[in-house]
């Protein structure tokens, strides 16, 4: 069973930075993509950033130029560097890993880490 453990959330002032980490229990080579999602109170979960096994990245328009996703295969860890944080970035951030096996697709989720940005 794949386990994803997030860390790095917290309280920060607007304009500040945080780095989130997502450590996987096994090799991240097995995941076709890994990503970060977030869910603010009363809103749907949304994709923030993703990175493929081929290191192709994708970002939501709202975070382009401020957030950077990266992966360290040796540490089985994916990171989300968040700079120039805004109050609207406040949410619970979830790590996601996706595996594909033939025609089947599996999504794994971490427990979430809370990010609060004060104005």
């Amino acid at each position: 069973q794949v386990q994803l453990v997030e860390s790095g959330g917290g309280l920060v002032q607007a304009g500040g930075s945080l780095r989130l980490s997502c450590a996987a229990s096994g090799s991240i080579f097995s995941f076709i993509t890994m990503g970060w999602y977030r869910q603010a109170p009363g809103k749907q979960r949304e994709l923030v950033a993703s990175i493929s096994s081929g290191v192709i990245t994708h970002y939501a328009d709202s975070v382009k130029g401020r957030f950077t996703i990266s992966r360290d295969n040796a540490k089985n860890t994916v990171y989300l560097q968040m700079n120039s944080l805004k109050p609207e970035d406040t949410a619970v951030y979830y790590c996601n890993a996706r595996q594909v096996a033939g025609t089947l697709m599996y999504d794994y989720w971490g427990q979430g880490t809370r990010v609060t940005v004060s104005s």
Side-chain angles (χ1 to χ4, degrees), residues 13-94:
Q13 287 188 331
S17 298
L18 284 173
R19 188 176 81 154
L20 306 183
S21 299
C22 172
S25 57
S27 171
I28 62 175
F29 280 114
S30 65
F31 303 128
I32 190 171
T33 63
M34 294 191 74
W36 288 94
Y37 288 70
R38 67 186 180 188
Q39 187 166 18
K43 294 187 177 181
Q44 289 190 331
R45 190 173 296 190
E46 62 175 357
L47 175 65
V48 176
S50 65
I51 185 166
S52 72
S53 56
V55 204
I56 297 172
T57 57
H58 170 79
Y59 297 94
D61 288 342
S62 59
V63 306
K64 281 181 181 176
R66 300 188 298 124
F67 291 10
T68 303
I69 189 170
S70 62
R71 58 193 289 163
D72 185 333
N73 294 330
K75 296 183 178 180
N76 296 323
T77 301
V78 174
Y79 304 97
L80 184 67
Q81 177 66 44
M82 306 186 294
N83 298 329
S84 302
L85 282 161
K86 304 175 181 180
E88 50 264 44
D89 294 319
T90 295
V92 177
Y93 284 70
Y94 297 91

